[in-house]
Amino acid sequence: MRTIFILLMLCSVLTPMAAQPQPSDSLMPIPSNLQMGTGRLLIDPSFSVGISGNSDPRLQRGVERFLNDLRRQTGMLPLDMKVTEPSKAMLVIRAAHANKEILELGEDESYSLEVSNTGAKLDSPTTLGALHGLQTFLQLVATASDGFAVPALSIQDKPRFPWRGLMIDAGRHFIPLDVLKRNIDGMAAVKLNVLHWHLSENQGFRVESKKFHELHEMGSDGLFYTQEEIRDLIAYARERGIRVMPEFDMPGHSTAWFVGYPELASGPGPYQIERKWGVFDPAMDPTQESTYRFLNDFIGEMAGLFPDQYFHIGGDEVNGKQWDANPKIQEFKRSHGIKNNEDLQAYFNKRVQEIVSKHGKTMVGWDEILRPDLPKNIVVQSWRGQDSLAAAAKQGYRGLLSHGYYVDLMWSAERHYSFDPLGGAGANLSPEEKQRVLGGEACMWGEYVSPENIDSRIWPRTAAIAERLWSPQEVRDMDSMYQRMEKVSRKLDWLGLTHNSGYAPMLRRIANSDDISALRVLADVVEPVKDYNR
Amino acid sequence: MRTIFILLMLCSVLTPMAAQPQPSDSLMPIPSNLQMGTGRLLIDPSFSVGISGNSDPRLQRGVERFLNDLRRQTGMLPLDMKVTEPSKAMLVIRAAHANKEILELGEDESYSLEVSNTGAKLDSPTTLGALHGLQTFLQLVATASDGFAVPALSIQDKPRFPWRGLMIDAGRHFIPLDVLKRNIDGMAAVKLNVLHWHLSENQGFRVESKKFHELHEMGSDGLFYTQEEIRDLIAYARERGIRVMPEFDMPGHSTAWFVGYPELASGPGPYQIERKWGVFDPAMDPTQESTYRFLNDFIGEMAGLFPDQYFHIGGDEVNGKQWDANPKIQEFKRSHGIKNNEDLQAYFNKRVQEIVSKHGKTMVGWDEILRPDLPKNIVVQSWRGQDSLAAAAKQGYRGLLSHGYYVDLMWSAERHYSFDPLGGAGANLSPEEKQRVLGGEACMWGEYVSPENIDSRIWPRTAAIAERLWSPQEVRDMDSMYQRMEKVSRKLDWLGLTHNSGYAPMLRRIANSDDISALRVLADVVEPVKDYNR
């Protein structure tokens, strides 16, 4: 008996202090409004969820996923646990309405969550809000000395910006579907709601086209997504409240198109898939009507494949060298009174915008596209600075901030976190102009990422960007951000993201040994290459 | 310049010694014959594979997987690397013949592998042998000071036993398909060739039956495999040279059947899915003709679903209590001159064997089924001791050893490794009798496993059992086994198995903290519960 007592004493000494969990320690993004209560709700194998009111199938499946996530996170709940009667459930969800099948920009994503000693209530106007509330609940579940618990509290929450994105560049390096899916799970966990899928580049054209086979057949090294796979990924994201916007970069960044269709280019060709990184000369010929006929057919096909309202045409980094070298293009500029290559690209953008619009979509482009002759319904994605975003808003254009959010540059989370879509020149916008700033997107450019390391580039820093886009502007405490980001990072492990779990195997590979202690010290203390430079 | 020199010196101090890799350090199972050569083959991004001779699609896909595994393991090779012309390839594979679509027991699995400074040759009579040789090659790839390399050597290899299995119990706890698939990848890596899928238990009936819906609808808590999923898993295993044998345990371990079909049972019912562990009373009624009509229809359906020649009917742990309590069964025994319950089960087994045989399959059962009135073509799986395996062989039956290979008992790898299918009484068998010992199976019983921890129960110890079943009998050095098992264990990380990567997140969950150093020390020094007892 004494032995048992001593063992128990030892256990309680060895068990780390499991004090009352503090929700502000574990939530990212921080909710817009949170009041602590008294006590806590124990989460044990008798835990149950009920759906009252609207029982949208998307919500039902979301609850099944929630239970599975809770199971993984706690390692505990019965596998056969099912959704129960609301009257008997410990967590009762009431979402007033289902969202439309195809998610739109600006859907109501708000929710409220009340947790007491005896149960929890999650209320929301829509399924999307309920899905966000379930993610908040998952983040609140913490180990206590006697099991798992959620602290008693009251949350009213809604996003600051309606567009909270992650761009993944699958053009430079192909990223397999399973890797995209686990990153979509990570996005949902931190309440991001747009996957911006960069699908064509000098180094690869990644989408099956049934109209123009040679785009993917000759431009992808065989590494492309079939249309069936794309529909599957869109459905996967939609289940999690995430829109998928495709990007086909034009007129530059387009060498891979020209391998199969050299007639689209401004130079004679032939073309090979590009094997280096940088800004390259090949660009579409904006002076030929055949270019626009091709794009009309192609965009028409893609508009049918991608249901999202928004369609990204890239538009960045055209160096104009092929245009300068082509006498017919020079003649076109003269005869049409086009003074420079910027104006020629503006002409191209206007023609493409008409095509995108004809196929029922709204055009998005990088900030180079911003020219007053484009209609006001386009969206400008600013990568070159906060000021260009504010300038667009002043001119009546809606915009997204990505400057400051390039996770491939390996900046600190703190540095990303300090950029605000309404910071810099944005702070001086009128309330009406501020409305035009839709949010922002973290950008995962693909030069130096592979399926192995992409998670470690995106996570956990993208969680800090997600907080910037969701939480109130005044949430800015860096220590708190780092502390919470670390917690979220560990929770993402349960979703199969490899940013933590991949580290030791990679070190062991380098060391060719199980003893990685010295190498780990070195790797932990050196800073990563930033901005691709020392 | 001096700084750079010092940095380089530091690096070379920090870089662990990358001496000439020793293949005997990294191979598991050890090949039957290996001679070291001089030098090594560098594996760099120019690495290429060619297939000469027979180009079986299964081999082609195997080579694609090999390249993908090599990519993951080295983190290096170009994603777009394809199989090339044999004349230009660094590794040339020549497999004389494709195997039949449905794999059979006793296929030729031999191969030879020659590696020199300039290239490698893999020759085999069949695709299966080539797949094994590719796994050997993957294990040989090691980090060197200047990249990755395979040492020059010559291997002639073939398995000692034709049946090298892993049983996974998905009856007690449902194991999702993705978890099964990554374990199949692990099996292929250590040259196991049979997945024995334990599909029904008191706690769950896990297969969709189109003839008897209520088996899976009422007996599984909704956790079952559809027939389409089963076909998919069988195809996945077949691609990797692995047969899939189903087990439907009868007449005991069958409570889950009776929830939907109480008329099959020997007691009145009604029945609920069993929620506890142990040996329970419910058993099929062996005296009713309707039982055999049901089993005939059911086994007929399953014989069509599972293409493997072998069909496991369980047959273990019938306590006879329901039979003793049923007057009609007592009367049947009297009128048929059946003396005891063992004889009654023998009568049942004989009837079931006739059904299995009628549907073109060969019956396998646990060692309780061994009775001289069964035909000699059945296979006996010994869980109660090596002696019963030898006894079966003496009586003319083929057998498998599982006694000593129960990985759920948490024995040391050393203890599993010391059991040999031809050890104990098996050592005294005649050469002809020894031929009847087909091999063995590691057994992963499911009482205390979940999708989260099952990998950590199977791996890496099952790799030691795999070596026992593949390598020559005289391979017995424990230090060498442990050293190589550790290497293989780390390589399995690249296949997505979680036995290593899951440890820290689980400790963090217990600690509710990132600081798991104290808990890790504790967890590392305490021994696991063995045999479910202290």
Side-chain angles (χ1 to χ4, degrees), chain A residues 454-470:
Chain A
I454 190 169
D455 296 3
S456 72
R457 298 296 179 270
I458 296 175
W459 306 107
R461 291 174 299 142
T462 293
I465 299 170
E467 174 158 290
R468 176 59 49 241
L469 298 172
W470 176 284

Side-chain angles (χ1 to χ4, degrees), chain B residues 336-408:
Chain B
H336 287 69
I338 294 174
K339 282 178 293 205
N340 53 40
N341 285 337
E342 290 66 38
D343 288 355
L344 183 58
Q345 189 179 348
Y347 166 80
F348 174 84
N349 289 340
K350 186 133 198 339
R351 296 290 305 268
V352 171
Q353 189 277 327
E354 286 161 10
I355 293 170
V356 169
S357 177
K358 175 185 149 195
H359 293 293
K361 302 293 187 185
T362 304
M363 188 170 97
V364 186
W366 299 103
D367 51 7
E368 285 98 327
I369 70 163
L370 182 63
R371 297 282 294 226
D373 47 351
L374 281 175
K376 298 297 186 217
N377 75 332
I378 66 158
V379 176
V380 174
Q381 183 165 14
S382 167
W383 70 281
R384 295 186 299 186
Q386 282 163 302
D387 291 353
S388 66
L389 183 65
K394 275 185 196 295
Q395 292 171 47
Y397 293 101
R398 292 175 300 165
L400 300 166
L401 184 65
S402 280
H403 174 77
Y405 300 151
Y406 273 30
V407 292
D408 60 314

Side-chain angles (χ1 to χ4, degrees), chain A residues 261-290:
Chain A
Y261 299 93
E263 63 274 22
L264 289 174
S266 305
Y271 293 89
Q272 302 296 322
I273 293 176
E274 180 58 55
R275 302 294 174 193
K276 296 201 170 69
W277 312 126
V279 175
F280 297 95
D281 301 346
M284 291 179 188
D285 186 340
T287 69
Q288 298 180 126
E289 283 309 306
S290 58

Side-chain angles (χ1 to χ4, degrees), chain B residues 63-97:
Chain B
V63 170
E64 293 291 343
R65 283 198 313 280
F66 163 78
L67 289 173
N68 199 39
D69 288 344
L70 191 57
R71 245 174 236 129
R72 288 196 280 189
Q73 191 177 312
T74 59
M76 171 182 79
L77 303 178
L79 266 178
D80 56 332
M81 185 174 57
K82 290 275 154 216
V83 178
T84 52
E85 291 290 301
S87 61
K88 299 177 192 159
M90 208 170 287
L91 168 61
V92 178
I93 304 170
R94 185 197 313 261
H97 302 288

Side-chain angles (χ1 to χ4, degrees), chain A residues 120-384:
Chain A
K121 274 193 338 180
L122 171 58
D123 288 282
S124 64
T126 69
T127 295
L128 281 188
L131 295 178
H132 289 313
L134 289 172
Q135 295 292 348
T136 300
F137 193 93
L138 284 171
Q139 289 188 349
L140 288 167
V141 175
T143 316
S145 53
D146 52 352
F148 296 91
V150 171
L153 47 65
S154 169
I155 285 174
Q156 294 78 42
D157 199 10
K158 62 178 199 296
R160 182 172 165 221
F161 293 107
W163 189 308
R164 305 176 307 280
L166 169 63
M167 189 222 67
I168 293 184
D169 169 13
R172 288 176 174 84
H173 278 113
F174 182 73
I175 304 297
L177 286 171
D178 61 325
V179 179
L180 292 174
K181 285 183 177 176
R182 70 187 185 219
N183 277 285
I184 286 172
D185 292 342
M187 291 174 68
V190 297
K191 302 185 172 63
L192 291 173
N193 69 349
V194 182
L195 173 67
H196 167 174
W197 202 359
H198 185 83
L199 286 163
S200 70
E201 258 304 333
N202 297 312
Q203 293 81 7
F205 189 96
R206 304 302 182 193
V207 173
E208 177 193 24
S209 169
K210 295 191 191 288
K211 284 200 173 140
F212 302 104
H213 287 252
E214 291 175 2
L215 285 172
H216 64 278
E217 285 175 1
M218 297 183 69
S220 76
D221 299 305
L223 297 168
F224 63 89
Y225 308 103
T226 66
Q227 296 203 354
E228 191 183 339
E229 288 171 333
I230 289 168
R231 278 187 284 269
D232 171 63
L233 191 91
I234 292 169
Y236 187 92
R238 182 187 292 157
E239 285 286 292
R240 288 149 183 84
I242 293 173
R243 297 166 38 218
V244 177
M245 173 178 68
E247 176 183 351
F248 296 96
D249 208 342
M250 58 184 85
H253 285 283
S254 49
T255 308
W257 305 54
F258 306 152
V259 183
Y261 299 93
E263 63 274 22
L264 289 174
S266 305
Y271 293 89
Q272 302 296 322
I273 293 176
E274 180 58 55
R275 302 294 174 193
K276 296 201 170 69
W277 312 126
V279 175
F280 297 95
D281 301 346
M284 291 179 188
D285 186 340
T287 69
Q288 298 180 126
E289 283 309 306
S290 58
T291 302
Y292 301 108
R293 283 195 297 273
F294 183 102
L295 289 176
N296 179 57
D297 287 351
F298 174 74
I299 291 172
E301 183 185 7
M302 292 300 122
L305 179 60
F306 291 92
D308 199 71
Q309 177 60 38
Y310 293 82
F311 193 96
H312 202 300
I313 61 113
D316 55 320
E317 299 185 324
V318 181
N319 70 13
K321 287 187 188 169
Q322 273 201 343
W323 293 348
D324 293 340
N326 183 327
K328 284 170 73 180
I329 292 177
Q330 293 305 309
E331 171 51 32
F332 181 92
K333 282 165 73 176
R334 269 190 298 278
S335 64
H336 286 71
I338 293 175
K339 281 180 292 208
N340 54 38
N341 285 337
E342 289 68 35
D343 289 354
L344 184 59
Q345 190 178 348
Y347 166 80
F348 173 83
N349 289 340
K350 186 135 194 344
R351 295 291 303 269
V352 172
Q353 189 278 325
E354 287 160 11
I355 293 169
V356 170
S357 178
K358 175 184 149 196
H359 292 292
K361 301 293 186 185
T362 304
M363 188 171 94
V364 185
W366 299 102
D367 52 6
E368 286 97 328
I369 71 162
L370 180 63
R371 297 284 293 226
D373 47 352
L374 282 176
K376 298 298 186 216
N377 74 334
I378 67 157
V379 176
V380 174
Q381 182 165 14
S382 168
W383 69 281
R384 294 185 300 187

Side-chain angles (χ1 to χ4, degrees), chain B residues 469-480:
Chain B
L469 298 173
W470 176 284
S471 300
Q473 188 169 15
E474 59 272 21
V475 174
R476 308 198 73 89
D477 185 281
M478 290 296 173
D479 290 341
S480 163

Side-chain angles (χ1 to χ4, degrees), chain B residues 375-521:
Chain B
K376 298 297 186 217
N377 75 332
I378 66 158
V379 176
V380 174
Q381 183 165 14
S382 167
W383 70 281
R384 295 186 299 186
Q386 282 163 302
D387 291 353
S388 66
L389 183 65
K394 275 185 196 295
Q395 292 171 47
Y397 293 101
R398 292 175 300 165
L400 300 166
L401 184 65
S402 280
H403 174 77
Y405 300 151
Y406 273 30
V407 292
D408 60 314
L409 298 182
M410 298 303 286
W411 295 0
S412 65
E414 180 170 346
R415 193 166 164 196
H416 292 306
Y417 194 67
S418 66
F419 281 89
D420 192 294
L422 293 176
N428 300 320
L429 293 174
S430 72
E432 190 191 346
E433 288 161 354
K434 283 184 177 174
Q435 285 292 318
R436 297 187 188 124
V437 176
L438 300 175
E441 289 186 355
C443 288
M444 177 72 267
W445 294 108
E447 281 89 343
Y448 301 107
V449 296
S450 69
E452 175 178 287
N453 69 6
I454 190 170
D455 295 5
S456 72
R457 297 296 179 271
I458 297 175
W459 306 106
R461 290 174 299 142
T462 294
I465 298 171
E467 173 157 292
R468 175 60 49 240
L469 298 173
W470 176 284
S471 300
Q473 188 169 15
E474 59 272 21
V475 174
R476 308 198 73 89
D477 185 281
M478 290 296 173
D479 290 341
S480 163
M481 179 276 284
Y482 270 114
Q483 183 190 38
R484 290 177 293 106
M485 186 175 75
E486 192 56 32
K487 288 236 167 148
V488 166
S489 175
R490 298 306 188 183
K491 285 233 163 117
L492 295 174
D493 288 348
W494 302 114
L495 302 177
L497 286 161
T498 63
H499 55 299
N500 292 315
S501 65
Y503 190 38
M506 287 189 240
L507 292 180
R508 279 193 285 268
R509 175 164 65 206
I510 296 172
N512 199 24
S513 162
D514 269 3
D515 180 7
I516 53 172
S517 47
L519 190 59
R520 186 188 281 269
V521 169

